[in-house]
Amino acid sequence: MEYMYDYDALWEMLHERRYRELRDAMVDMNEVDIAQFIIDLRPEEYAIIAFRALPKELAADVFSNLEADIQEAIINAITDKELAEIMSDLYVDDAVDMLEELPANVVKRVLKNTSPEDRKLINQFLKYPENSAGSIMTAEFIDLKENMTVEDAIKRIRRTGEDKETIYTCYVLDIRRHLIGVVTVKNLLLAQDDDSVTDIMDEDVMKVITTDDQEEVAYLFSKYDLLSIPVVDKENRLVGIITVDDAVDVMEREATEDFEKMAAMIPSEKPYLKTGVWTLAKNRIPWLMVLMLSATVTGTILGRFEEAFQYFPILVTCIPMLTDTGGNAGNQTSTTVIRGMAVKDIELKDVFQVLWKEVRVAVICGTALSFVNFIRLLIMNPGKIMESLTISISVLFTVLLANTVASVLPLLAKRLNLDPALVASPALTTVVDGIALTVYFMIAKMLLPI
Amino acid sequence: MEYMYDYDALWEMLHERRYRELRDAMVDMNEVDIAQFIIDLRPEEYAIIAFRALPKELAADVFSNLEADIQEAIINAITDKELAEIMSDLYVDDAVDMLEELPANVVKRVLKNTSPEDRKLINQFLKYPENSAGSIMTAEFIDLKENMTVEDAIKRIRRTGEDKETIYTCYVLDIRRHLIGVVTVKNLLLAQDDDSVTDIMDEDVMKVITTDDQEEVAYLFSKYDLLSIPVVDKENRLVGIITVDDAVDVMEREATEDFEKMAAMIPSEKPYLKTGVWTLAKNRIPWLMVLMLSATVTGTILGRFEEAFQYFPILVTCIPMLTDTGGNAGNQTSTTVIRGMAVKDIELKDVFQVLWKEVRVAVICGTALSFVNFIRLLIMNPGKIMESLTISISVLFTVLLANTVASVLPLLAKRLNLDPALVASPALTTVVDGIALTVYFMIAKMLLPI
């Protein structure tokens, strides 16, 4: 189902300097796959040679799919003229993505070889805050004037469509470039040639502002099944569009970030295999450290019940089972709630509904676990009824407390404008461990002669 | 940025039976939002009244955005004629989604009120396995014949485009309906009227087969920035298309499933708030039970070192810190690797690269944690140098072992064609706990007079 190319054959052509053959083979490929071939070439010189073998009209498309380090190597190897050609063919959003990764001296040379018009646009786009709608939009859209007919519009698309990211949604602007409506190519094709664009356009435009959060923008694409969305400034002037492929990238990246945060890591910027060992360690140590030190609290609680160990060693051997079960139950709840909030299935106003649901689920799960555990303990430790009872009742209470805390904390974090993913499983574990052990020994004191 | 409607005003219109006003208000709304308004209405009778107030041409669009229980209530309330109208306007993929949720007697009535042609198609689509490309495709695409000119093609789009899910990619078929190329509306608009479709079409079509996994299909959309992809049968006959909005839904659902699996839950079919307490408990108990029972192993390991407790209680109070740290470190690694595999940043062939990277990260993280822990222990327990050393060295080894196991297990699972998400954090914890404690007491035996 994916395109399958004979990468080995390409490699041979490159190695044996059959560049014309290589060029012809690459022309038949998808630009994403050409980029993949080039990215995998080592040493870098081969990547540069392969890239330069591409015909001019493919160069920019492939270039925008490369990774920052190879882009930099290529820029440093090509002439100003080649660079200028690539820059004139790159979409503004791809140019901005690239420039954000490059060192300052390379950026300077790139901008020097960009047309003044594009340079102005790029500099403007570079200023939008990270993770904003402005930072992922592009400037290559089709704008129509309000006095155009359908025939005029189709002519304009035919004339200017070649270089646009999408031609399927066109934006109707008034004379001061305010966005007053959208019209799709479908609308245009299904209308009469002499209809006025303003008559068939949809005035009720869904749009976002440059400063809106990219995650909210991605959510709109998923909710309303959009192919693109216009981005306006505070005065409703159209400045760019976001296309669905970029929204998909945002969704994937945001989901990955949530996975990372929920596993107690600081999200990393690059793919795993491209991230250095020191960066990975730097992203992981802070939470490991916080969690390790806070586990001391659990240790202190354990220390307070030292005598109990002496008389009932079975209580000690069950500690890992108890804290693990509490951790697992809490993890199930917090993951459910955090992901539910991320996809907007759960909102702040649902807090009591969630809590009440989790309490009931905890009673069912806890009772089942408690019962099985009681049987197991009695079989493995015949006669030790009171000890088994102590441990099993503690399991039920631990699950109950774990689910309660785990359902409320993420919603509380959201309420306080913190990221709910931060109070996921690992941060919870310490809290749940402490509570579980305290309850455990309180129940032990009630039921056993300690 | 989202459409904001005055839902209270709509509710008042409904309540005061101002149905004509309600209808006019709804006509101006987006169908996703109308559906949301109807879904939130209680009791169900109101939902049915609001739905019936919709004009015919909006009914199917809104209907496909409703949830199964309300769809069923509406079907049971409307006449055969109304039902037939909705069915003739529904896209096949939406009809199939709905029929999969409805009870058999309702399905029977729905199919009775569907045109024979659509019924045949629906029955065929219902047979594709769950999670296959066939199960998410739709039949409303534009097909062009190989002998058409650009002008013919545009005429055909204008004539038949109204009811298609997308008109922007058209599929060129030979006389036996084999897929021989694709042509976009952009290609058509930018070509000359008398060009032949076969001359401008792209013959190198990216396509999937009905039985391909929907997750792989979604991956193609994200990798190649597609808007739609054709679905063919084993003989390369075009049977349907998948559009990007459905691919986005698959991506979100698959990410949610991974979150659920990695938190030791069986993925649920419906959104959280719509899932019953018993179903939630049923999805959570199996893993909780398995993990609880396997934690017994850890308990047994603890039991074997009972004497050590007597002489060095400090070793016991550090157990939660040690097992938590191992669990957290392993969780970081396994989450990174599993997510990396899900987005195809990491593949099976990278196993040694991943392992080597994780070992080095573990050495850095473990050393940092170990050092801080040693200082803390010395401050809190002056003079207990050997005990502090034992515990701190164990921290380093635990992190090292946790990262090793956590980087290899998901890749091993994949190699064995198991779901990597299943060996995520909770399942790992038990393994890591056991290893950590064994190492702990081995080091204790070496360094302390036990």
Side-chain angles (χ1 to χ4, degrees):
Chain A
M1 51 200 279
E2 255 171 285
Y3 286 133
M4 290 298 170
Y5 303 108
D6 189 351
Y7 284 112
D8 290 340
L10 293 176
W11 202 87
E12 256 172 47
M13 293 173 203
L14 181 65
H15 204 67
E16 295 167 6
R17 306 188 180 191
R18 285 144 46 202
Y19 297 141
R20 188 167 300 270
E21 238 177 286
L22 176 66
R23 172 202 181 102
D24 292 344
M26 288 196 294
V27 167
D28 285 337
M29 290 168 62
N30 180 294
E31 66 258 23
V32 177
D33 296 305
I34 304 176
Q36 198 52 58
F37 168 65
I38 292 178
I39 288 169
D40 290 340
L41 290 173
R42 291 282 173 283
E44 238 165 32
E45 286 71 48
Y46 280 119
I48 295 169
I49 295 172
F51 180 79
R52 295 184 88 166
L54 285 171
K56 227 168 38 175
E57 60 276 14
L58 255 177
D61 282 344
V62 172
F63 191 78
S64 66
N65 281 295
L66 295 173
E67 287 162 2
D69 47 347
I70 298 183
Q71 288 178 330
E72 188 181 339
I74 289 173
I75 292 173
N76 288 330
I78 61 180
T79 65
D80 280 0
K81 184 161 165 287
E82 286 172 306
L83 180 56
E85 272 164 6
I86 291 175
M87 289 311 294
S88 81
D89 282 352
L90 270 190
Y91 291 126
V92 175
D93 57 344
D94 293 328
V96 167
D97 283 352
M98 175 185 79
L99 290 172
E100 276 168 345
E101 303 286 324
L102 293 179
N105 58 328
V106 184
V107 169
K108 215 170 146 185
R109 178 163 167 250
V110 170
L111 287 179
K112 220 187 67 192
N113 290 291
T114 306
S115 73
E117 195 180 307
D118 285 351
R119 188 162 55 223
K120 201 180 137 204
L121 215 48
I122 288 173
N123 276 323
Q124 178 196 335
F125 276 40
L126 277 169
K127 279 189 208 116
Y128 293 111
E130 212 184 340
N131 300 332
S132 70
S135 74
I136 54 168
M137 72 184 181
T138 192
E140 290 81 4
F141 51 82
I142 295 199
D143 48 353
L144 303 176
K145 298 205 183 75
E146 51 185 329
N147 54 5
M148 282 181 170
T149 64
V150 167
E151 198 181 351
D152 297 335
I154 291 178
K155 265 193 199 143
R156 182 172 170 80
I157 295 172
R158 289 188 138 175
R159 205 174 59 241
T160 66
E162 189 68 69
D163 303 325
K164 307 302 181 190
E165 271 240 38
T166 178
I167 66 161
Y168 300 131
T169 309
C170 306
Y171 302 92
V172 186
L173 307 183
D174 69 12
I175 198 159
R176 291 161 60 210
R177 296 195 65 77
H178 293 131
L179 178 62
I180 59 172
V182 295
V183 61
T184 63
V185 165
K186 186 168 175 175
N187 301 146
L188 290 172
L189 287 180
L190 300 177
Q192 301 301 317
D193 277 347
D194 53 357
D195 284 348
S196 153
V197 162
T198 38
D199 284 345
I200 62 162
M201 75 182 183
D202 187 354
E203 291 170 47
D204 205 9
V205 189
M206 184 165 316
K207 61 198 170 191
V208 294
I209 298 175
T210 48
T211 48
D212 282 337
D213 186 320
Q214 62 175 9
E215 198 171 355
E216 294 294 319
V217 177
Y219 171 71
L220 290 181
F221 274 87
S222 136
K223 179 171 179 185
Y224 294 106
D225 291 350
L226 307 175
L227 292 181
S228 60
I229 199 166
V231 186
V232 295
D233 64 13
K234 297 245 174 346
E235 281 80 45
N236 193 33
R237 279 181 307 235
L238 184 63
V239 285
I241 61 166
I242 296 168
T243 47
V244 63
D245 53 306
D246 294 313
V248 166
D249 289 345
V250 169
M251 279 176 223
E252 287 218 323
R253 219 157 48 226
E254 296 283 348
T256 300
E257 280 187 17
D258 276 353
F259 273 108
E260 291 173 325
K261 284 184 206 154
M262 288 168 76
M265 289 178 280
I266 297 167
S268 76
E269 306 249 310
K270 292 188 207 168
Y272 175 74
L273 293 178
K274 297 267 165 187
T275 310
V277 170
W278 286 100
T279 309
L280 286 174
K282 215 177 61 195
N283 289 341
R284 295 189 192 176
I285 288 177
W287 269 109
L288 285 179
M289 202 65 92
V290 169
L291 295 171
M292 181 183 78
L293 292 177
S294 59
T296 318
V297 180
T298 322
T300 314
I301 295 173
L302 265 183
R304 279 178 48 212
F305 300 100
E306 243 170 61
E307 319 106 74
F309 301 158
Q310 319 277 339
Y311 302 102
F312 301 99
I314 187 180
L315 293 189
V316 178
T317 56
C318 282
I319 288 175
M321 183 277 292
L322 195 69
T323 54
D324 281 2
T325 301
N328 291 330
N331 189 13
Q332 291 182 331
T333 300
S334 66
T335 300
T336 304
V337 174
I338 293 169
R339 179 65 183 168
M341 282 196 282
V343 298
K344 307 225 180 179
D345 279 345
I346 298 175
E347 290 174 77
L348 267 186
K349 65 176 172 55
D350 303 319
V351 56
F352 292 108
Q353 201 184 338
V354 172
L355 184 59
W356 174 225
K357 202 161 208 163
E358 285 303 316
V359 166
R360 285 176 296 162
V361 172
V363 170
I364 300 171
C365 294
T367 306
L369 292 174
S370 186
F371 178 75
V372 170
N373 194 51
F374 185 67
I375 303 293
R376 175 190 75 80
L377 284 170
L378 273 192
I379 292 171
M380 292 175 69
N381 309 277
K384 296 200 172 172
I385 296 183
M386 287 316 277
E387 288 94 326
S388 303
L389 205 58
T390 300
I391 297 162
S392 302
I393 292 177
S394 299
V395 168
L396 170 59
F397 275 93
T398 300
V399 172
L400 194 57
L401 289 165
N403 282 25
T404 307
V405 173
S407 57
V408 173
L409 274 193
L411 286 157
L412 188 69
K414 177 91 178 175
R415 180 75 188 73
L416 299 173
N417 280 321
L418 297 170
D419 188 340
L422 292 181
V423 291
S425 144
L428 262 178
T429 306
T430 313
V431 180
V432 171
D433 278 3
I435 299 177
L437 289 177
T438 310
V439 170
Y440 188 26
F441 286 103
M442 275 167 57
I443 294 174
K445 275 201 170 160
M446 282 193 287
L447 297 184
L448 298 171
I450 297 178
Chain B
M1 52 202 277
E2 258 171 283
Y3 286 133
M4 290 298 171
Y5 302 108
D6 188 349
Y7 285 112
D8 290 339
L10 292 176
W11 202 86
E12 255 173 48
M13 293 174 203
L14 180 66
H15 203 67
E16 294 167 7
R17 306 191 178 190
R18 285 145 47 203
Y19 298 141
R20 188 166 299 268
E21 240 177 284
L22 176 66
R23 172 202 180 102
D24 292 344
M26 289 196 293
V27 167
D28 285 337
M29 289 168 61
N30 180 293
E31 65 257 23
V32 177
D33 296 304
I34 303 175
Q36 198 51 59
F37 168 64
I38 291 178
I39 287 168
D40 290 340
L41 288 173
R42 291 281 173 285
E44 240 164 32
E45 285 71 48
Y46 280 119
I48 295 168
I49 294 171
F51 181 79
R52 296 184 86 167
L54 286 170
K56 228 167 38 177
E57 60 277 14
L58 254 179
D61 282 344
V62 171
F63 190 79
S64 66
N65 281 293
L66 294 173
E67 287 162 2
D69 48 347
I70 298 182
Q71 287 178 331
E72 188 182 339
I74 288 172
I75 291 173
N76 288 331
I78 61 180
T79 65
D80 280 1
K81 183 159 167 286
E82 286 171 306
L83 180 55
E85 272 163 7
I86 291 175
M87 289 311 294
S88 79
D89 283 351
L90 269 189
Y91 290 126
V92 175
D93 57 344
D94 294 328
V96 167
D97 283 352
M98 174 186 81
L99 290 172
E100 277 169 344
E101 302 286 323
L102 293 179
N105 59 329
V106 183
V107 169
K108 214 169 149 186
R109 177 161 168 250
V110 170
L111 288 179
K112 220 187 68 194
N113 289 291
T114 306
S115 73
E117 195 179 310
D118 284 351
R119 188 162 55 223
K120 200 178 140 206
L121 216 49
I122 289 173
N123 276 323
Q124 178 197 336
F125 277 40
L126 277 168
K127 279 188 207 117
Y128 292 112
E130 212 183 342
N131 299 333
S132 69
S135 74
I136 54 168
M137 71 184 181
T138 192
E140 289 83 2
F141 52 82
I142 294 198
D143 48 353
L144 302 176
K145 298 204 183 74
E146 50 185 331
N147 54 5
M148 282 181 171
T149 63
V150 168
E151 198 183 352
D152 295 337
I154 292 180
K155 265 194 199 143
R156 181 170 171 80
I157 295 172
R158 289 188 138 175
R159 204 175 58 241
T160 65
E162 187 69 69
D163 303 324
K164 307 302 181 191
E165 269 240 40
T166 179
I167 65 162
Y168 300 131
T169 309
C170 306
Y171 303 92
V172 187
L173 307 183
D174 70 11
I175 199 162
R176 290 161 59 209
R177 297 195 64 78
H178 293 131
L179 179 62
I180 58 172
V182 295
V183 60
T184 63
V185 165
K186 186 168 174 175
N187 301 146
L188 291 172
L189 286 181
L190 299 178
Q192 301 302 317
D193 276 348
D194 53 358
D195 285 347
S196 152
V197 162
T198 38
D199 285 344
I200 62 162
M201 75 181 182
D202 186 355
E203 290 170 47
D204 205 9
V205 188
M206 184 164 314
K207 61 197 169 192
V208 294
I209 298 174
T210 48
T211 48
D212 283 337
D213 187 318
Q214 63 175 8
E215 199 171 355
E216 294 295 319
V217 177
Y219 170 70
L220 291 181
F221 274 87
S222 137
K223 178 171 181 186
Y224 294 106
D225 291 349
L226 308 175
L227 292 180
S228 60
I229 198 166
V231 185
V232 296
D233 64 14
K234 297 243 172 350
E235 279 79 45
N236 192 33
R237 278 181 307 235
L238 184 64
V239 286
I241 61 165
I242 296 169
T243 47
V244 62
D245 53 305
D246 294 314
V248 166
D249 289 345
V250 170
M251 280 176 222
E252 287 220 321
R253 220 159 44 226
E254 297 283 347
T256 300
E257 280 187 15
D258 277 354
F259 273 107
E260 291 174 325
K261 284 184 206 152
M262 288 168 75
M265 289 179 279
I266 298 166
S268 76
E269 307 250 308
K270 292 189 207 167
Y272 175 72
L273 294 177
K274 298 267 165 186
T275 310
V277 170
W278 286 100
T279 309
L280 286 173
K282 215 176 61 194
N283 290 341
R284 295 189 193 177
I285 288 177
W287 269 108
L288 285 180
M289 201 67 89
V290 169
L291 296 170
M292 181 183 79
L293 293 177
S294 58
T296 318
V297 179
T298 323
T300 314
I301 295 172
L302 266 184
R304 278 177 47 212
F305 300 99
E306 244 169 61
E307 320 104 75
F309 302 158
Q310 318 279 339
Y311 302 104
F312 300 100
I314 187 179
L315 294 189
V316 178
T317 55
C318 281
I319 289 175
M321 184 275 294
L322 195 70
T323 54
D324 281 2
T325 301
N328 291 331
N331 189 14
Q332 291 181 332
T333 300
S334 65
T335 300
T336 303
V337 174
I338 293 169
R339 179 63 184 168
M341 282 196 280
V343 298
K344 307 224 180 178
D345 279 345
I346 299 175
E347 290 174 76
L348 268 186
K349 65 176 172 56
D350 303 319
V351 56
F352 292 109
Q353 201 183 340
V354 172
L355 183 59
W356 174 226
K357 202 161 208 163
E358 285 304 315
V359 166
R360 285 177 296 162
V361 172
V363 170
I364 301 170
C365 293
T367 307
L369 293 174
S370 186
F371 178 74
V372 170
N373 193 51
F374 184 67
I375 303 293
R376 176 190 73 81
L377 284 171
L378 273 191
I379 293 171
M380 292 175 68
N381 310 276
K384 297 200 170 172
I385 296 182
M386 288 316 278
E387 288 93 328
S388 302
L389 205 59
T390 301
I391 296 163
S392 300
I393 292 177
S394 300
V395 168
L396 171 58
F397 275 93
T398 299
V399 172
L400 194 58
L401 289 165
N403 282 24
T404 308
V405 173
S407 57
V408 173
L409 275 193
L411 286 157
L412 187 69
K414 177 91 178 175
R415 181 75 189 71
L416 300 172
N417 280 321
L418 297 171
D419 187 340
L422 291 181
V423 292
S425 144
L428 264 179
T429 305
T430 313
V431 180
V432 172
D433 278 2
I435 299 176
L437 289 177
T438 310
V439 170
Y440 188 26
F441 285 102
M442 275 167 56
I443 294 174
K445 276 200 171 161
M446 282 194 286
L447 298 183
L448 298 172
I450 295 179

